[in-house]
Amino acid sequence: MITKYGYIHLYDIETGTCIYMNRISGDTIFVTAPHEASNGIVGVNRKGQVLSVSIDEDNIVGYITNQLKNPELALKISVRCNLAGAEELFVRRFNMLFGQGQYSEAAKVAASAPKGILRTPQTIQRFQQCPAQPGQASPLLQYFSILLETSQLNKAESLELARPVLQQGRNQLLEKWLVEGKLECSEELGDLIKAHDSTLALSVYLRANIPQKVCQVFCN
């Protein structure tokens, strides 16, 4: 928000927290408008100067963490706007929850971390190594369930989810997730499924645009 007297105010709408305030013009600003090219605001003051302000998306999360000393707000904005800068905070929170055995909460942190920084083969391996608690789904399945609720799985996640599902003979679940666009189709996923269901593998090869494997399935 830019005021008539030349001040800029930046607030977090959800919490009402003031993130930044400064004066950008000593003269009255009589008109402002959105600036689509920068996702910011342009204004014109009484001297005819055209002023442009925008948020530095690469640094705002770090600014909130280090200058405002508000890591909780930094995490919220990073998640809400998918902004980088809070990687260390997310990793620290994930490790803390994981170490406390709160696997479901740790999975939520991994799923919400911006830019997919925690959605790696190493994270999958950590969940695979956790023992299942009596009467509960395994930590790995909890992790995948939370990811499936919010997004499409990446290549590594799709492969590691498909393995236990195929071992249990629940091919219809894979078919359902394929139709919903929840799996990243790849040649490796098609090869894995082919040993159990060639028709389903064909669907994967077609979505992954692997024509030579499509021809192989038809020939067989």
Side-chain angles (χ1 to χ4, degrees), residues 118-136:
L118 284 167
R119 293 179 60 176
T120 63
Q122 291 74 25
T123 296
I124 295 173
Q125 189 176 33
R126 290 185 67 177
F127 278 105
Q128 286 174 328
Q129 293 171 348
C130 294
Q133 300 299 315
Q136 295 184 12

Side-chain angles (χ1 to χ4, degrees), residues 77-84 112-116:
I77 289 180
S78 181
V79 171
R80 194 189 314 146
C81 304
N82 194 29
L83 297 177
S112 63
K115 314 295 183 183

Side-chain angles (χ1 to χ4, degrees), residues 85-219:
E87 291 86 353
E88 185 179 340
L89 295 175
F90 276 95
V91 171
R92 193 184 309 153
R93 187 172 181 83
F94 174 80
N95 287 334
M96 180 191 72
L97 293 168
F98 201 95
Q100 294 173 348
Q102 299 184 51
Y103 302 123
S104 180
E105 294 303 312
K108 290 176 183 177
V109 172
S112 63
K115 314 295 183 183
I117 59 170
L118 284 167
R119 293 179 60 176
T120 63
Q122 291 74 25
T123 296
I124 295 173
Q125 189 176 33
R126 290 185 67 177
F127 278 105
Q128 286 174 328
Q129 293 171 348
C130 294
Q133 300 299 315
Q136 295 184 12
S138 71
L140 181 65
L141 288 181
Q142 291 182 48
Y143 175 58
F144 284 137
S145 295
I146 288 169
L147 292 180
L148 287 167
E149 288 175 6
T150 58
S151 62
Q152 181 194 48
L153 302 190
N154 61 35
K155 181 179 177 179
E157 293 162 351
S158 299
L159 283 167
E160 293 305 324
L161 175 60
R163 296 184 202 281
V165 171
L166 289 169
Q167 288 171 1
Q168 296 170 16
R170 304 178 69 182
N171 299 7
Q172 71 279 6
L173 277 178
L174 289 177
E175 185 175 1
K176 172 179 177 291
W177 293 328
L178 277 174
V179 171
E180 294 174 349
K182 292 292 186 178
L183 303 179
E184 181 177 330
C185 292
S186 63
E187 183 173 359
E188 292 85 347
L189 182 62
D191 292 344
L192 178 65
I193 295 174
K194 187 179 177 183
H196 302 265
D197 189 328
S198 58
T199 302
L200 192 56
L202 175 61
S203 181
V204 172
Y205 291 139
L206 286 168
R207 286 175 166 84
N209 192 26
I210 314 293
Q212 64 272 24
K213 289 297 179 74
V214 172
C215 293
Q216 285 180 18
V217 173
F218 278 123
C219 291

Side-chain angles (χ1 to χ4, degrees), residues 33-60:
H35 187 234
E36 293 184 4
S38 65
N39 288 320
I41 302 174
V42 292
V44 181
N45 66 14
R46 197 164 55 181
K47 286 185 176 179
Q49 292 175 316
V50 178
L51 309 169
S52 174
V53 292
S54 61
I55 294 172
D56 184 350
E57 295 184 354
D58 292 332
N59 292 304
I60 186 171

